[in-house]
Amino acid sequence: MKKVNYISSYCIIENNNILVNGTQVPIPQCASFSEFAKTVYKSFSMDYPKFFKMDSLSKLAFLASEIILKEVVKSEEEQDIALVFANRSSSLDTDVKYQESIANKNEYFPSPAVFVYTLPNICIGEVSIRHQLKSENAFFVFDDFPSEFMQKYSEALIQNNKAKKVLCGWVEYFQESYKVFVYLVEPQGKLEHNEQNINTLYRN
């Protein structure tokens, strides 16, 4: 008999708003994503100085993941949590910034600090490093939020004993427009992990 898994927690961050498990988190209005990211970081008392060196896509993925995983990950225990993320724009926002740094032949100055973020999967690498996650991880690019794919892929990871839990995420950032939706799948919870419930939460 197929075991049922559940969505135990979720977080949505979209254009200056944060929703955690259905509850709106009050955050002051900010003029830019950079300012907003710093405000969220401080509001949740996060302590990870490397955060400030990340690109915007990684910051967005980090913030939402940190909100969910801070109650789950125990530093003294090995974590068997897989990461399955996706978006539409890949790392295009950072790619554009890097291209601008090399476009002018008279001021040619390619930045290694920017170049390292010109792949979208770097954002899940940052989350993995933060929480010492050594299990499966993957980043995909889709035209739209892939609820069916996320559901089937994460279920397969758990059923095939590749992970005990899976953090799924849609993290989209391009030129100050952003949305991240992350949710944790595990054997315990109240909300069944199915495509309908995933889409309902995503549209909140």
Side-chain angles (χ1 to χ4, degrees):
M1 182 178 177
K2 181 181 177 181
K3 292 183 178 180
V4 176
N5 291 302
Y6 298 88
I7 299 172
S8 60
S9 56
Y10 72 96
C11 175
I12 298 173
I13 302 176
E14 182 176 19
N15 298 331
N16 227 120
N17 291 292
I18 301 179
L19 195 69
V20 180
N21 298 327
T23 300
Q24 191 80 28
V25 178
I27 295 290
Q29 290 296 305
C30 302
S32 66
F33 174 75
S34 177
E35 182 184 342
F36 172 74
K38 291 177 183 177
T39 300
V40 176
Y41 180 92
K42 293 176 182 177
S43 297
F44 283 88
S45 302
M46 298 180 187
D47 183 19
Y48 193 64
K50 190 182 177 184
F51 171 81
F52 298 100
K53 297 181 180 180
M54 297 179 190
D55 74 332
S56 296
L57 184 69
S58 295
K59 285 180 178 178
L60 189 58
F62 179 91
L63 289 172
S65 300
E66 188 73 5
I67 290 170
I68 296 300
L69 294 179
K70 69 175 183 176
E71 303 297 334
V72 178
V73 174
K74 308 299 180 185
S75 59
E76 67 275 9
E77 300 175 5
E78 183 173 346
Q79 303 302 314
D80 193 6
I81 303 173
L83 301 176
V84 180
F85 278 50
N87 75 359
R88 179 187 301 111
S89 299
S90 186
S91 56
L92 184 58
D93 188 81
T94 301
D95 296 345
V96 169
K97 290 181 173 65
Y98 185 73
Q99 176 60 32
E100 289 173 351
S101 75
I102 63 174
N104 189 332
K105 293 182 179 180
N106 296 322
E107 298 181 16
Y108 183 84
F109 188 72
S111 169
V114 176
F115 179 74
V116 74
Y117 289 103
T118 53
L119 286 173
N121 63 320
I122 299 303
C123 71
I124 56 176
E126 295 285 13
V127 175
S128 295
I129 293 170
R130 167 70 175 104
H131 294 288
Q132 294 298 297
L133 304 180
K134 301 174 183 178
S135 47
E136 298 281 326
N137 67 73
F139 195 106
F140 301 91
V141 177
F142 289 90
D143 288 334
D144 298 296
F145 175 64
S147 55
E148 180 182 5
F149 177 85
M150 287 285 192
Q151 193 269 339
K152 291 182 177 179
Y153 196 97
S154 55
E155 287 289 326
L157 288 174
I158 294 175
Q159 290 170 20
N160 294 319
N161 296 316
K162 297 293 185 180
K164 293 180 179 178
K165 303 176 184 180
V166 182
L167 186 69
C168 297
W170 173 262
V171 52
E172 175 66 18
Y173 183 98
F174 185 63
Q175 296 182 341
E176 292 292 320
S177 178
Y178 57 89
K179 178 172 183 174
V180 58
F181 166 51
V182 300
Y183 66 92
L184 187 65
V185 182
E186 57 180 315
Q188 295 83 32
K190 295 181 179 179
L191 189 63
E192 186 173 334
H193 183 227
N194 58 47
E195 190 177 351
Q196 180 179 346
N197 286 335
I198 295 169
N199 282 324
T200 299
L201 295 181
Y202 174 77
R203 296 189 183 105
N204 274 344

